[in-house]
Amino acid sequence: MAKRARAGITASDDRLSALPDGVLHTILSFLPARQLVQTSLLSRRWKDLWCSTPCINIDEREFDIGSGRNVQAKKWSKFENFNTNLLLFRSNAASVDKFCLYAHEHNHRDVDKWIRRGIKRLYLSNVSLDNCFAELLSSGSSPLEILELRSCWNYFWDITSHTLKDLFIDSCIHHDAHPLVITAPGLTSLRLNITNTSYADGISVYQTTALAKAAIVIPSPVFFPVDNQRNLLRSLFSVTKLELGGFETKALLVDEFSEFQKFANMRTLLFGEIFLDEGCLDVKLELLGSFMQNAPCLEKLTLYCSMVKEHCEMEWDSKRRSINLQRQNQKAFQCPKLKVVEVLYEDDHHHRLAEFLWVITARLPHASITLTKLR
């Protein structure tokens, strides 16, 4: 106290501590768990405040543990003890709204412990998850609403939850020999970023009538075969907003589309880096039109680096230095509610983008075309 007085600081100057608990909890939610606990040393006001914060962010990198063969046993033991004590000393009256964990595959037991505390938002990175995790989700003991898995090792084959609303799986490794089955009747948002061959057996989504938004990215078709792409699309029939990246042209073949349910609710559609093969532009447009005509309420179409392949570093093809754009007599697409077509592109090499725009305006005569150069 004497030191504070000599520095000209009094208790009345500590305006931060005078804030209500709710505001301080919001501030504390931005801190990793180790720093969160250390705030108990600030003053008597802060001593037990961390025990009731609704957001927990545990990150093994705070403990300088290392990874793989470089994991240091003593530091890892300290990390696990910290997690156990953090759970032990938290106030039982305080619910955990959001829990984030970054840890390598050595520790999945802590995840189970925290889920049992009634978490609503769970964010996991680099964690190994087994069937116990899946069983906890399906047991109904957790009111989990948001689940985000990034670069996790998943040793389970199903995600079943009646409370889950938002699911994001990004760059995870699926170690089970079965397809991943997602059953979540309350799910409203689904995001999948498939970046390895772990899901070669497919992903099935059931009871999706509440699903409103879906974003599926496949950087390479090798990771997710055409049949898997088509089956996954069939389960997204209820969405109002759909984003697809990396899908193969074959997944949208015209003669296969009779099998698809109509996307009766879809208002917004984004294609990212698809239709990039060297096929005929007219054929690509027919495929695009088939998809769009299965979405009678579609209002906006966005094409991100799609339809035309760009080779900015290649020499100019002498045959493409000058092109002749002739009037098109093809039948217009039946998209009565489509208002805007947004085209995002990087370069227009060989005038292929100009050619595409010329043709698409004939197929969609009532839609406005917006052109945006990305770089």
Side-chain angles (χ1 to χ4, degrees):
M1 192 69 183
K3 291 182 179 179
R4 290 170 62 93
R6 285 197 299 269
I9 301 175
T10 64
S12 61
D13 293 323
D14 188 4
R15 297 180 180 179
L16 184 61
S17 296
L19 294 173
D21 285 2
V23 176
L24 294 179
H25 282 154
T26 301
I27 296 172
L28 291 175
S29 68
F30 292 98
L31 296 177
R34 199 175 189 182
Q35 293 182 31
L36 171 68
V37 175
Q38 289 170 347
T39 60
S40 62
L41 302 176
L42 293 177
S43 69
R44 185 176 299 175
R45 169 77 170 95
W46 292 79
K47 181 179 179 181
D48 298 317
L49 197 60
W50 70 270
C51 297
S52 55
T53 182
C55 300
I56 302 294
N57 180 8
I58 298 177
D59 192 331
E60 71 172 32
R61 290 169 292 190
E62 271 199 290
F63 294 79
D64 192 28
I65 293 172
S67 59
R69 295 180 179 179
N70 296 320
V71 170
Q72 300 181 37
K74 288 185 178 180
K75 290 185 177 181
W76 182 263
S77 178
K78 185 177 181 181
F79 175 63
E80 288 192 318
N81 290 337
F82 173 84
N83 293 339
T84 300
N85 291 329
L86 185 68
L87 182 63
L88 181 64
F89 287 102
R90 268 191 61 85
S91 170
N92 290 327
S95 62
V96 181
D97 178 53
K98 178 181 178 182
F99 177 70
C100 304
L101 173 64
Y102 181 99
H104 281 85
E105 56 182 312
H106 301 79
N107 101 327
H108 58 268
R109 297 184 300 275
D110 291 316
V111 176
D112 298 345
K113 295 175 184 176
W114 283 101
I115 290 178
R116 295 180 191 277
R117 294 294 295 262
I119 295 171
K120 291 184 178 180
R121 295 182 289 168
L122 180 60
Y123 302 83
L124 303 176
S125 298
N126 291 80
V127 179
S128 176
L129 302 168
D130 59 14
N131 280 326
C132 292
F133 173 76
E135 290 170 2
L136 272 175
L137 293 183
S138 62
S139 67
S141 60
S142 171
L144 190 65
E145 296 181 357
I146 298 176
L147 174 61
E148 183 174 302
L149 305 178
R150 290 180 180 269
S151 303
C152 291
W153 289 267
N154 298 336
Y155 293 86
F156 58 87
W157 63 272
D158 74 313
I159 294 177
T160 301
S161 172
H162 291 278
T163 60
L164 194 62
K165 296 180 180 179
D166 189 329
L167 174 62
F168 182 26
I169 299 177
D170 180 18
S171 308
C172 291
I173 298 177
H174 184 63
H175 285 284
D176 197 281
H178 301 86
L180 175 64
V181 177
I182 300 170
T183 306
L187 195 67
T188 59
S189 176
L190 173 65
R191 293 170 291 162
L192 302 174
N193 186 13
I194 303 166
T195 57
N196 56 65
T197 56
S198 298
Y199 293 96
D201 293 316
I203 298 176
S204 299
V205 187
Y206 296 104
Q207 300 181 18
T208 59
T209 53
L211 192 61
K213 297 186 295 182
I216 317 296
V217 178
I218 307 168
S220 172
V222 175
F223 298 147
F224 206 67
V226 173
D227 287 344
N228 292 347
Q229 298 174 31
R230 191 176 292 133
N231 290 335
L232 184 55
L233 282 174
R234 290 194 183 99
S235 66
L236 307 179
F237 62 89
S238 66
V239 297
T240 59
K241 181 178 182 181
L242 178 62
E243 299 180 10
L244 300 177
F247 274 62
E248 280 196 82
T249 303
K250 294 179 182 178
L252 309 176
L253 281 173
V254 177
D255 57 353
E256 297 286 350
F257 241 78
S258 59
E259 302 176 15
F260 274 69
Q261 299 189 46
K262 285 190 176 293
F263 295 88
N265 302 324
M266 191 189 298
R267 303 292 191 275
T268 305
L269 173 62
L270 183 148
F271 282 133
E273 298 184 344
I274 69 170
F275 299 113
L276 294 180
D277 53 85
E278 298 295 343
C280 174
L281 182 57
D282 286 338
V283 174
K284 296 179 181 180
L285 285 169
E286 287 295 335
L287 296 177
L288 177 64
S290 295
F291 198 105
M292 294 168 59
Q293 289 174 162
N294 268 322
C297 295
L298 185 64
E299 297 176 356
K300 182 180 179 181
L301 169 67
T302 300
L303 297 171
Y304 173 82
C305 298
S306 295
M307 301 299 294
V308 289
K309 199 164 187 177
E310 298 154 350
H311 302 282
C312 17
E313 297 180 359
M314 292 179 61
E315 293 291 333
W316 267 89
D317 183 347
S318 58
K319 295 179 181 179
R320 299 286 303 183
R321 284 184 178 275
S322 176
I323 61 172
N324 183 20
L325 300 175
Q326 299 180 350
R327 288 192 174 275
Q328 302 291 323
N329 296 319
Q330 286 101 337
K331 187 178 179 181
F333 297 145
Q334 299 301 310
C335 302
K337 296 188 177 182
L338 186 65
K339 300 175 182 178
V340 178
V341 177
E342 182 182 26
V343 179
L344 308 176
Y345 74 102
E346 295 179 348
D347 291 286
D348 182 16
H349 205 62
H350 292 170
H351 303 307
R352 296 192 185 278
L353 179 61
E355 184 179 22
F356 165 69
L357 292 174
W358 174 262
V359 177
I360 196 69
T361 52
R363 295 299 190 101
L364 298 169
H366 303 296
S368 300
I369 309 293
T370 301
L371 191 62
T372 303
K373 186 173 173 48
L374 297 177
R375 63 179 184 184

